[in-house]
């Protein structure tokens, strides 16, 4: 099947496929027991129809027609055979056949042009209407996919194709249990008639409104909802659909439907209170209340929605209630770790967008004490989420002196520093990020304290995440110009430790640090101009000497020959940039830029190329290594510009951009790799297939 797909780029292959009953064979393979084969059969059929369409001369217009007159006579029978099979599949009583027919239909509508698309749609319209009105729950997703494909085409704008009518039928009048699922899918469609989307939005709001208020809705819908909300599984499912859809709609014009933003927000707040066991006496009669107490799934969705609602000024009057709710969730000892994480995310959004008059007082008096307690939580996930929140909060209030003062006076900085020694590696990494952000908004005293512990982590920590975080913290500090001088004494150690780390991501972050260092140092040198004057050359030479003292060149050359390809690629790119700069300088002091190439892992390659180039010049030999023995010759010092010149960086860069696929690329090699990783067990051989 894959081979046939590749062949179908050619007309001769198409002629071959369309003859001797081969289309019928592919149609049979649509129902193959292997999902892979069935999907390939669909792709092949669509490709054939697309080929038939594209191989015809068109006038470039996208007007929908329902005629096959523009197809060549020999193509009509093939397209008719495929389209008849789709109609037959949709009319079948066998669920797998219907499913495959719908999948093929959605692909044809999305990928094929006219007249195939409109002709097929006209043929399937009757069985499609039957399927939509039947309301089979197992077909909802696939039916929506078909209609979504149609919405994106000119089919939508022509009434005879009934696309909008079918969408409305999917929503029905609320009597079907699956109308809420349909509505949840329809509101996600990028292009959809406004009337349909608003109707879907109103349906989506109903479960939330029915639980938290007494909606003035259709009696029939209330009957359906009452039945579903009285059962725990369907109640939770409906509310999650409602909340997650509202979170996605929060920034669109369809968000409110017929309700107000404030009423929706109040409903979400009330629902979250019910989940924590608080319920107004007027709503105690609602059967779903008992299903919601302690329900993490609804809490997570509700907090996501509440966070999305933070951007609306209409919710200003509800700010105090919302902050009280979120603080209550953070204080509750029985709050699930994932619920706490969502609470932090919602809290951050409300703090950033809020205009609460006493916000700073709330943070220092109410929030920080709770955070300090959460930093002692026995669950590492909670400590980790707390540190992430503090990092985001500190970044959001960067430049706010009141917040910085509160951060120090509350003792939070001491908590952050102590977290650098946490028993869990993930938490240590998050603590590094939090301290790093605090340093950016604080004084040099904190930097001195942080440097001691961070250098210890980089040199001694046994886990990669904290070490990566340390190098990233240095990079963020270096980007802040006011910290450049304070960091100079530590940079050589960081570059050395990071460049020799056994974790490739630490090495990548170290190269990122090196790049920022290069940019920061060279900003004072007008190195981008073509003709350097003597004073500019001197300044440029001094900058390069500074890099040499930091060990930056040692890092780049070591990384150039690293065992991890991404590391080599990044180092090579930086060296190419450096080569360009040195080439533009007219009179560099080469003697000040001599590097020792002996006794390190990149020196052998440099010496080999250097001696080969020298032999070529001396003996007039080209392309020969004769007489060149690195073991007998050791040129200890070579200047940086000379090294950059003799290394064929362009060729190295070209080779590094190639993946291993340019050597071996076959299904067999993939299977061999998977089986090797799976240790050749019989069970895994089946899994690989």
């Amino acid at each position: 099947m894959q081979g046939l797909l590749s062949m179908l780029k050619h007309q001769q292959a198409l002629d071959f496929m369309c003859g001797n009953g081969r289309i019928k064979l592919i149609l049979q393979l649509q129902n193959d027991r292997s999902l892979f084969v069935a999907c390939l059969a669909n792709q092949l059929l669509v490709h054939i129809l697309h080929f038939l369409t594209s191989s015809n001369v068109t006038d470039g217009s996208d007007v929908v027609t329902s005629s096959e007159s523009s197809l060549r006579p020999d193509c009509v029978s093939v397209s008719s055979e495929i389209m008849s099979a789709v109609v037959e599949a949709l009319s079948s009583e066998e669920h797998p056949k219907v499913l495959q027919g719908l999948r093929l239909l959605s692909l044809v509508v999305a990928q094929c042009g006219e007249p195939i698309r409109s002709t097929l749609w006209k043929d399937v319209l009757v069985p499609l209407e039957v399927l939509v009105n039947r309301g089979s729950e197992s077909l909802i997703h696939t039916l929506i996919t078909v209609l979504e494909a149609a919405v994106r085409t000119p089919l939508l704008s022509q009434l005879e194709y009934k696309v909008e009518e079918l969408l409305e039928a999917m929503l029905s009048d609320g009597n079907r249990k699956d109308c809420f699922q349909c509505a949840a899918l329809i509101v996600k469609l990028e292009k959809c008639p406004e009337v349909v989307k608003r109707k879907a939005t109103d349906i989506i709001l109903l479960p939330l409104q029915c639980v938290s208020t007494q909606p003035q809705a259709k009696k029939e819908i209330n009957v359906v909802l009452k039945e579903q909300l009285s059962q725990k599984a369907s109640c939770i499912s409906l509310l999650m659909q409602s909340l997650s859809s509202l979170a996605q709609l929060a920034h669109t014009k369809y968000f409110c439907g017929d309700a107000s933003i404030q009423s929706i927000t109040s409903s979400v707040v009330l629902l979250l209170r019910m989940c924590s066991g608080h319920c107004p006496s007027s709503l105690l009669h609602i059967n779903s209340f008992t299903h919601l107490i302690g329900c993490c799934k609804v809490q997570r969705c509700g907090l996501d929605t509440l966070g999305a609602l933070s951007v609306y000024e209409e919710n200003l009057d509800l700010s105090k209630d919302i902050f009280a709710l979120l603080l209550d969730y953070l204080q509750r000892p029985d709050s699930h770790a994932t619920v706490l994480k969502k609470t932090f995310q919602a809290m951050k959004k409300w703090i950033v967008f809020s205009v609460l008059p006493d916000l700073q007082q709330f943070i220092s008096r109410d929030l920080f004490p709770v955070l300090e307690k959460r930093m002692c939580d026995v669950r590492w996930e909670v400590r980790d989420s707390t540190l992430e929140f503090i990092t985001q909060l500190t970044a959001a209030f960067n430049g706010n002196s009141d917040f910085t003062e509160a951060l120090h006076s509350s003792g939070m900085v001491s908590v952050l520093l102590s977290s650098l020694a946490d028993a869990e590696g993930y938490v240590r990494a998050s603590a590094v990020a939090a301290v790093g952000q605090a340093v950016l908004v604080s004084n040099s005293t904190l930097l001195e304290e942080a440097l001691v512990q961070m250098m210890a982590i980089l040199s001694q920590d046994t886990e990669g995440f904290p070490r990566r975080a340390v190098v990233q913290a240095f990079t963020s500090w270096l980007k802040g110009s006011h910290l450049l001088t304070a960091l100079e004494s530590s940079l050589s150690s960081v570059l050395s430790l990071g460049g020799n780390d056994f974790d490739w991501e630490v090495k990548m972050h170290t190269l990122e640090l090196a790049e920022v260092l290069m940019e920061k140092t060279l900003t004072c040198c007008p190195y981008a101009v073509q003709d350097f004057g003597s004073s500019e050359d001197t300044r440029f030479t001094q900058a390069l000497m500074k890099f040499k003292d930091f060990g930056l060149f040692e890092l780049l050359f070591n990384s150039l020959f690293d065992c991890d390809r991404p590391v080599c690629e990044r180092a090579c790119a930086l060296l190419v940039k450096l080569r360009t700069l040195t080439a533009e300088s007219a009179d560099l002091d080469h003697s000040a830029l001599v590097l020792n190439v002996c006794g390190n892992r990149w020196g052998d390659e440099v010496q080999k190329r250097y001696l080969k180039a020298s032999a070529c010049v001396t003996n007039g030999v080209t392309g020969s290594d004769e007489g060149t023995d690195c073991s007998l010759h050791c040129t200890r010092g070579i200047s940086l510009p000379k090294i950059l010149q003799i290394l064929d960086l362009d060729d190295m860069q070209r080779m590094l951009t190639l993946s291993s696929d340019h050597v071996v690329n076959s299904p067999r090699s993939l299977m061999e790799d998977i089986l090797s990783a799976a240790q050749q067990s019989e069970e895994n051989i089946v899994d690989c297939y």
Side-chain angles (χ1 to χ4, degrees), residues 534-673:
S534 58
S535 61
E536 285 81 4
D537 278 338
T538 302
R539 290 167 68 185
F540 186 44
T541 302
Q542 289 173 346
L544 293 176
M545 288 175 64
K546 207 168 189 179
F547 294 158
K548 178 182 174 182
D549 294 339
F550 284 139
L552 187 141
F553 302 134
E554 186 79 13
L555 166 70
L556 294 181
F557 288 124
N558 276 339
S559 301
L560 184 63
F561 298 99
D562 196 87
C563 57
D564 288 300
R565 186 165 61 96
V567 176
C568 304
E569 280 186 289
R570 191 68 178 269
C572 192
L574 292 177
L575 286 169
V576 167
K577 185 186 294 186
L578 201 58
R579 183 189 62 184
T580 304
L581 299 179
T582 56
E584 289 172 355
S585 180
D587 189 24
L588 278 179
D589 184 357
H590 287 233
S591 62
L593 298 171
V594 172
L595 303 180
N596 182 11
V597 298
C598 291
N600 52 54
R601 60 192 183 194
W602 55 271
D604 290 343
E605 181 65 25
V606 171
Q607 283 196 86
K608 179 181 176 183
R609 293 177 185 240
Y610 179 75
L611 294 173
K612 179 180 178 181
S614 301
C616 291
V617 172
T618 305
N619 304 323
V621 179
T622 58
S624 172
D625 287 331
E626 291 182 19
T628 303
D629 186 353
C630 293
S631 63
L632 299 177
H633 304 81
C634 184
T635 306
R636 297 188 63 84
I638 305 176
S639 71
L640 171 69
K642 187 67 176 177
I643 294 174
L644 294 174
Q645 181 185 344
I646 64 175
L647 283 174
D648 194 348
L649 294 173
D650 294 325
D651 185 62
M652 294 180 76
Q653 199 168 36
R654 182 185 65 81
M655 290 300 295
L656 287 167
T657 56
L658 298 173
S659 68
S660 59
D661 281 357
H662 81 282
V663 180
V664 178
N665 181 9
S666 70
R668 181 180 180 85
S669 69
L670 175 62
M671 290 298 104
E672 287 173 349
D673 290 344

Side-chain angles (χ1 to χ4, degrees), residues 228-412:
Q228 291 192 274
L229 292 174
S230 64
Q231 301 169 13
K232 184 172 183 178
S234 57
C235 171
I236 292 171
S237 175
L238 274 177
L239 287 171
M240 287 176 64
Q241 283 178 0
S242 179
L243 291 166
S244 60
S245 297
L246 287 174
Q248 290 179 336
L249 286 171
H251 308 294
T252 71
K253 64 179 180 179
Y254 306 105
F255 172 57
C256 291
D258 294 331
S260 69
I261 290 172
Q262 199 170 43
S263 68
I264 293 173
T265 307
S266 296
S267 294
V268 174
V269 170
L270 182 55
L271 179 64
L272 287 169
R273 289 199 181 281
M274 292 170 72
C275 289
S276 61
H278 303 293
C279 183
S281 57
S282 60
L283 296 177
L284 285 174
H285 66 280
I286 295 178
N287 294 334
S288 56
F289 173 56
T290 55
H291 304 327
L292 297 175
I293 298 175
C295 181
C296 295
K297 292 180 178 180
V298 175
Q299 286 176 323
R300 288 194 293 263
C301 286
L303 289 164
D304 279 339
T305 307
L306 191 62
L309 293 167
S310 61
V311 298
Y312 289 101
E313 293 181 1
E314 292 92 328
N315 287 324
L316 179 62
D317 295 339
L318 299 173
S319 292
K320 287 187 177 180
D321 290 338
I322 290 167
F323 279 115
L325 168 74
L326 294 173
L327 196 64
D328 178 62
Y329 264 67
L330 291 179
Q331 290 173 324
R332 295 181 69 84
D334 58 344
S335 289
H336 194 273
T338 57
V339 172
L340 284 171
K341 187 178 181 71
K342 294 290 185 182
T343 307
F344 282 131
Q345 291 171 353
M347 178 73 83
K348 185 253 179 181
K349 290 180 180 178
W350 276 93
I351 285 177
V352 169
F353 289 107
S354 175
V355 289
L356 202 65
D358 55 350
L359 181 61
Q360 293 291 345
Q361 187 178 2
F362 168 78
I363 291 174
S364 58
R365 184 190 62 193
D366 300 321
L367 184 59
F368 277 164
V370 175
L371 298 181
E372 190 171 347
K373 288 181 181 178
R374 283 301 179 192
M375 284 305 304
C376 300
D377 200 292
V378 294
R379 297 166 292 181
W380 71 264
E381 297 93 342
V382 174
R383 302 197 301 276
D384 192 56
S385 298
T386 307
L387 286 165
E388 285 181 358
F389 173 67
I390 294 170
T391 305
Q392 294 166 355
L393 201 61
T394 308
F397 282 94
N398 192 1
N400 187 312
S401 57
D402 291 337
F403 177 83
T404 304
E405 183 182 348
L407 192 68
H408 285 269
S409 61
S410 65
M412 283 306 300

Side-chain angles (χ1 to χ4, degrees), residues 495-549:
L495 293 176
S496 176
L497 289 167
N500 290 293
D501 200 283
F502 58 81
D503 184 293
W504 74 272
E505 290 193 56
V506 174
K507 289 184 281 191
M508 286 293 286
H509 291 312
T510 306
L511 288 171
E512 182 186 354
L513 173 64
E515 185 173 17
V516 173
L517 176 61
M518 287 170 61
E519 291 173 354
K520 279 285 183 182
T521 308
L522 293 173
T523 47
C524 62
C525 300
Y527 58 88
V529 297
Q530 292 295 323
D531 299 315
F532 280 81
S534 58
S535 61
E536 285 81 4
D537 278 338
T538 302
R539 290 167 68 185
F540 186 44
T541 302
Q542 289 173 346
L544 293 176
M545 288 175 64
K546 207 168 189 179
F547 294 158
K548 178 182 174 182
D549 294 339

Side-chain angles (χ1 to χ4, degrees), residues 51-65:
F51 202 122
L52 292 175
T53 307
S54 59
S55 62
N56 286 276
V57 179
T58 62
D59 59 2
S61 67
D62 203 13
V63 177
V64 177
T65 65

